[in-house]
Amino acid sequence: MTRYDVFNGDADGLCALQQLHLSEPEAEQAILITGTKREIALVQQVPAEARDQVTVLDVSLDKNRGALMDLLARGVSVRYVDHHYPGEIPEHPNLQTHIDTTADRGTSLLVDDLLEGRQRAWAVVGTFGDNFDAAAIRAAAPLGLQQDALERLRELGILLNYNGYGATVADLHFPPDALFARLRPYADPLEFVRCDQAFEALRTGYADDMARARAMSPEHQNATHLLMVLPAAPWARRVGGVFANELAQQAPSRAHALLTQLEQGGFVVSVRAPIDRPDGADALCRQFETGGGRKAAAGINQLSDSDYPRFVEAFLAAFDTD
């Protein structure tokens, strides 16, 4: 029997996997399958056979439905934990699902539920990374952390999330599987912050990239919507999601769209629903061919130049306050 762990390369996926690996000793032998944050068609990469076990974390079931059904047909046991739009959830004796699309509950918190809080600090990191600050603070309350320690967990979550964004793994500071290997020895995320040089490397890269992003001006801005376009550059591809999160935190009643130009033309899109009304981002993005995500935050992997006016119109019409 072989175990495969399939996970999103962002903070939520990394921290969900970290919790499981700290709690399940047999997980150390698992074969890892991951990619950049937007590389979500991951289940098709699993070469599992009958009696093998697969855990899938933080990638949409709806986007992996065909590959999932193929695994089940081959006699593979699958545990699926996620918070993105799933579509119709299949029923199968070999499929165990823990899927919850509540707007402020990420995969790290779903795994935390399964483990009854045994690795809570890592769940807090992943929840901060997914821009669910209020939920992360609530989850951290039983840990009794000082404010500076809580802020460090928040910073780590943001940096892990930042590392996941890019057109390819070459854009990232660390491949997600390599970054997970550095996290794996640390039951305490604060110990990772103190001891592993990856934290400072990510902190430096984040500061440089965010300074460039903050110097940009929006294409559209009013009380309810902000849309910004970033250039086709590695720094912009790395910063897109975390910059959208920062803008959302700064103006919680406003919707945000961050479009990053692609070298081959078109855009990759990050959308954030207003934090005060965290709903509708996934519905907006699913209007476009490569779009998907969750209620509070979603994206489009490739928006054509010809679809740009239609997206702007749809974005400005969405998140109505009436």
Side-chain angles (χ1 to χ4, degrees):
M1 187 274 290
T2 302
R3 171 169 169 165
Y4 297 88
D5 286 345
V6 182
F7 66 102
N8 195 311
D10 70 352
D12 198 27
L14 284 165
C15 293
L17 184 68
Q18 176 73 336
Q19 292 175 77
L20 290 178
H21 276 235
L22 290 171
S23 302
E24 301 173 353
E26 69 277 11
E28 191 162 343
Q29 304 304 316
I31 296 171
L32 304 182
I33 295 176
T34 189
T36 66
K37 179 178 176 64
R38 291 184 181 274
E39 191 177 349
I40 57 174
L42 295 173
V43 178
Q44 66 187 16
Q45 299 180 28
V46 180
E49 300 295 343
R51 292 183 294 280
D52 288 344
Q53 296 181 352
V54 176
T55 294
V56 185
L57 300 168
D58 200 39
V59 292
S60 165
L61 188 155
D62 194 51
K63 299 294 186 182
N64 288 275
R65 184 179 307 278
L68 170 62
M69 298 310 294
D70 288 345
L71 288 180
L72 296 172
R74 297 204 299 265
V76 177
S77 296
V78 181
R79 173 176 54 175
Y80 212 113
V81 190
D82 186 44
H83 65 129
H84 299 89
Y85 171 78
E88 184 177 352
I89 299 175
E91 292 187 9
H92 193 283
N94 287 347
L95 176 62
Q96 179 186 20
T97 59
H98 306 277
I99 296 177
D100 183 347
T101 60
T102 302
D104 64 350
R105 284 177 59 75
T107 306
S108 288
L109 285 181
L110 298 181
V111 171
D112 181 70
D113 287 347
L114 294 176
L115 299 179
E116 299 179 336
R118 292 196 295 276
Q119 308 297 338
R120 174 64 58 82
W122 282 107
V124 170
V125 174
T127 305
F128 273 129
D130 241 5
N131 206 35
F132 299 144
D133 282 22
I137 291 167
R138 289 195 300 269
L143 301 178
L145 296 171
Q146 297 294 320
Q147 186 61 34
D148 62 339
L150 190 62
E151 284 298 322
R152 194 65 69 241
L153 295 185
R154 181 176 184 271
E155 183 180 14
L156 176 58
I158 291 170
L159 294 179
L160 295 179
N161 212 45
Y162 157 74
N163 184 75
Y165 281 91
T168 67
V169 169
D171 281 339
L172 312 184
H173 293 285
F174 298 93
D177 54 352
L179 184 55
F180 177 73
R182 299 182 76 139
L183 299 176
R184 179 64 181 83
Y186 296 96
D188 181 357
L190 294 173
E191 190 70 13
F192 172 81
V193 168
R194 288 190 291 267
C195 297
D196 197 292
Q197 294 180 351
F199 178 79
E200 285 300 329
L202 289 174
R203 177 187 260 177
T204 299
Y206 175 83
D208 291 345
D209 289 349
M210 288 293 281
R212 294 173 184 246
R214 289 166 182 151
M216 302 294 293
S217 298
E219 297 290 317
H220 298 271
Q221 182 175 5
N222 57 32
T224 57
H225 294 75
L226 183 147
L227 184 148
M228 185 174 290
V229 177
L230 299 182
W235 71 264
R237 295 192 290 272
R238 286 193 297 265
V239 85
V242 289
F243 186 43
N245 288 346
E246 178 179 275
L247 292 172
Q249 290 289 342
Q250 290 174 351
S253 62
R254 189 166 63 193
H256 294 83
L258 197 63
L259 285 71
T260 304
Q261 294 176 324
L262 296 169
E263 298 282 358
Q264 68 272 29
F267 308 85
V268 60
V269 181
S270 293
V271 173
R272 300 294 180 267
I275 290 176
D276 292 349
R277 294 174 285 109
D279 190 23
D282 56 344
L284 169 65
C285 291
R286 286 202 308 273
Q287 296 177 39
F288 299 85
E289 184 177 356
T290 60
R294 48 189 171 85
K295 294 178 180 180
I300 304 168
N301 287 343
Q302 187 161 8
L303 179 77
S304 67
D305 290 309
S306 61
D307 269 339
Y308 173 78
R310 181 164 72 93
F311 173 79
V312 173
E313 181 179 5
F315 172 67
L316 295 177
F319 312 107
D320 197 337
T321 58
D322 293 339

